[in-house]
C-alpha cells in the first residue's frame, strides 16, 4: 500500500524561547524533525510533505537533508492542526493511498506503531493513535464505544465527564488521502480555541457513515517537546533506551549513565565502553574493541580489537583498522590508520594515511593546514615516526622509514631512510655552571641594594 507522510512543523514553539524553529532542536545529535521522519521511514513513504511556518527555510533545508524528495508547504498563519493538514492538499493532489499525519516535535513514535496503524486501516476508514495517559492533563480525549472511536474532544471543550477519560490523542492519524482531505475541508473553528482542529475529522467521519478506530501505544512514544526542560527529558529518555539496547546487544558499559549515544551509533558485541565516553553522530565500532574513558568520537569507524583512549578524540573521517591503538590526547581527523598502527600519546593526525604496523611517536603533528588549503600526509607501513615530528604536508614517508625525534619533515622520506631535520647539538663544557653562578650573584646584589 502506498503511503504519504504529512509532518506538522509550523508551530512557533513559544515555550522553547528560541530563535530556532522547535523541530530543529536536537535529541541524540539529530533534529526532532529527523526523528519524526525516521519513525516513518520503514513505511517507505512515497511522498513526504512537511508543513512549515516559523523558520520555514531552515525547516525545509533540514527536511531535504534527511530526504531530498521531501516537499515543504508553507502554513503562513498557524490556525490549527486541521488547517495545517489542509495546506498539504495540493502537494498530494496526485497521490493515491494512505496518508499518515505526524507531528515534527514528537520524536519517539516507534515504526512498529505506525505500521500497526496502517494495518488497522483494513478495519476502519480513520485510524487514530491513542495512549493511556498517567496524567491526561490537557490532551484531547478519545471518546470510544467499544472498538469504535466516536469523536475526539479537546480538553478546553470537554465536559467534566469527558475530562475523566484517560485515553488520550497522540495526534497521529491515518486515513486514505481522498477521505482525509474531504473531511479536513469540513473542519470549522467554532470551539474554545477558535482553531481548526484536525481532531474534528473523527466526528465528521461518523456523520458521513465512515468508521474510525483507535489503536494505542505506550505513552513514552507520544512524548512531545514544548520546552527546553522537555527537550532535556527527551534526551534522557533516548539515552536510557540506547544504553539498555547496547547492553542487550552484548556491549559492556562500565558506567552506563555516563555514556552518551547518538541516534545512529552502532557498537558491536563484546566491545567495552568505559566511563564518560561520548558518541557523536556517524560512529560505528566493531566487535571486541575497547573505548577507554573520556573519549569523544564523531563520524568515525573503529575496527575489531582496536583500543581508543583514554582521552582520545576521533573526528569525522577517522578510520581505524583492526588492532589500532589511539591513546591519550590523540586527535584523528579524516585519517586512516591501517592494521596495528599505533599513535599512543599527544598527537594530531589530520588528512593522513598511516600504514600497517607504523608507530607514531609522542607529540607528532601532521601540519595539514596552510591557512587556506588542506594537504595530505602519507606514511607507509612499519615506519617509525620519532617523537615531536612535524610532518609539513603535503609529504610522504615511505615504508620502514624513520624520522628522528624533533624532525620537521618538509620533503618526502624514501622507504627505509632516516630523516633527521633539526639543528645539530653542541655541548659547551662548564658553561651552565658558570652562567648559574653569574646569575645568582647578580640576584644577591640586587637584593642587597633593595634593603
Ligand atoms: C494536539 C491535539 C490534541 C492532542 C495533542 C497531543 C488538536 C486540535 N489537538 O493538541 O488532541 O492530545 O496534540 O500532543 O489537534 N501545528 C502546526 N500548525 C498549526 C497548529 C499546530 O503545524 O496551525 C503543529 C505544531 O507545531 C505541533 C503540532 O501541530 O507540532 C500539534 O500542535 P499543538 O498546538 O501543540 O496541539 P495541541 O494543542 O498540543
Ligand atoms: Ca503540543
Amino acid at each position: 500500500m502506498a503511503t504519504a507522510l504529512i509532518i506538522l512543523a509550523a508551530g512557533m514553539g513559544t515555550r522553547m524561547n528560541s530563535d530556532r524553529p522547535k523541530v530543529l532542536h536536537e535529541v541524540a545529535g539529530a533534529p526532532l524533525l529527523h526523528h519524526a521522519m525516521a519513525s516513518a521511514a520503514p513505511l517507505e513513504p512515497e511522498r513526504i510533505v512537511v508543513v512549515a511556518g516559523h523558520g520555514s527555510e531552515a525547516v525545509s533545508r533540514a527536511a531535504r537533508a534527511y530526504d531530498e524528495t521531501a516537499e515543504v508547504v508553507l502554513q503562513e498563519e498557524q490556525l490549527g492542526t486541521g488547517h495545517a493538514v489542509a495546506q498539504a492538499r495540493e502537494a498530494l493532489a496526485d497521490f493515491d493511498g494512505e496518508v499518515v499525519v505526524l507531528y515534527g516535535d514528537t520524536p519517539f513514535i516507534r515504526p512498529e506503531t505506525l505500521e500497526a496503524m496502517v494495518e488497522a486501516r483494513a478495519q476502519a476508514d480513520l485510524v487514530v493513535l491513542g495512549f493511556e495517559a498517567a496524567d491526561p492533563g490537557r490532551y484531547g480525549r478519545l471518546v470510544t464505544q467499544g472498538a469504535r472511536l466516536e469523536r475526539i474532544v479537546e480538553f478546553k471543550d470537554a465536559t467534566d465527564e469527558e475530562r475523566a477519560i484517560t485515553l488520550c490523542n497522540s495526534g497521529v492519524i491515518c486515513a486514505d488521502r481522498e477521505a482525509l482531505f474531504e473531511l479536513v475541508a469540513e473542519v470549522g473553528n467554532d470551539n474554545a480555541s477558535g482553531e481548526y482542529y484536525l481532531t474534528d475529522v473523527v466526528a465528521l467521519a461518523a456523520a458521513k457513515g465512515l468508521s474510525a478506530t483507535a489503536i494505542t501505544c505506550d505513552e513514552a512514544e507520544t512524548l512531545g517537546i514544548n520546552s527546553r526542560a522537555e527537550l532535556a527529558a527527551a534526551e534522557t529518555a533516548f539515552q536510557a533506551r540506547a544504553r539498555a539496547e547496547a547492553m542487550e546487544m552484548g556491549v559492556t558499559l562500565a558506567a552506563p549513565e555516563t555514556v552518551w549515544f547518538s541516534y545512529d551509533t552502532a557498537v558491536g558485541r563484546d566491545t567495552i565502553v568505559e566511563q564518560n565516553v561520548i558518541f557523536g553522530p556517524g560512529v560505528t565500532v566493531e566487535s571486541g574493541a575497547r573505548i577507554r574513558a573520556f573519549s569523544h568520537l564523531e563520524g568515525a569507524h573503529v575496527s575489531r580489537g582496536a583500543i581508543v583512549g583514554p582521552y582520545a578524540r576521533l573526528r569525522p573521517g577517522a578510520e581505524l583498522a583492526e588492532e589500532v591503538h589511539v591513546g591519550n590526547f590523540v586527535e584523528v581527523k579524516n585519517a586512516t590508520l591501517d592494521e596495528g598502527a599505533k599513535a599512543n600519546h599527544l598527537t594530531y593526525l589530520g588528512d593522513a594515511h598511516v600504514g600497517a604496523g607504523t608507530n607514531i611517536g609522542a607529540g607528532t603533528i601532521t601540519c595539514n593546514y596552510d591557512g587556506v588549503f588542506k594537504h595530505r600526509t602519507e606514511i607507509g607501513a612499519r615506519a617509525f615516526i620519532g617523537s615531536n615530528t612535524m610532518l609539513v604536508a603535503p609529504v610522504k614517508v615511505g615504508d620502514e622509514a624513520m624520522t628522528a625525534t624533533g624532525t620537521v619533515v618538509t620533503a618526502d622520506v624514501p622507504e627505509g631512510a632516516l630523516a633527521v631535520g633539526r639543528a645539530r647539538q653542541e655541548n659547551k663544557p662548564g658553561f651552565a655552571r658558570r652562567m648559574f653562578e653569574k646569575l645568582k650573584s647578580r640576584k644577591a646584589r640586587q637584593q642587597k641594594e633593595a634593603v
Side-chain angles (χ1 to χ4, degrees), residues 22 103 105 224-226:
K22 175 162 77 171
Y103 293 169
D105 62 1
I225 283 132
N226 301 295

Side-chain angles (χ1 to χ4, degrees), residues 8 10-11 75 78-81 84 103 105 139-140 154 169-170 197 199:
L8 306 190
Q75 185 192 25
Q78 282 72 58
L79 303 179
T81 49
Y103 293 169
D105 62 1
Y139 286 117
E154 288 304 297
N169 176 30
S170 71
Y197 292 161
T199 45

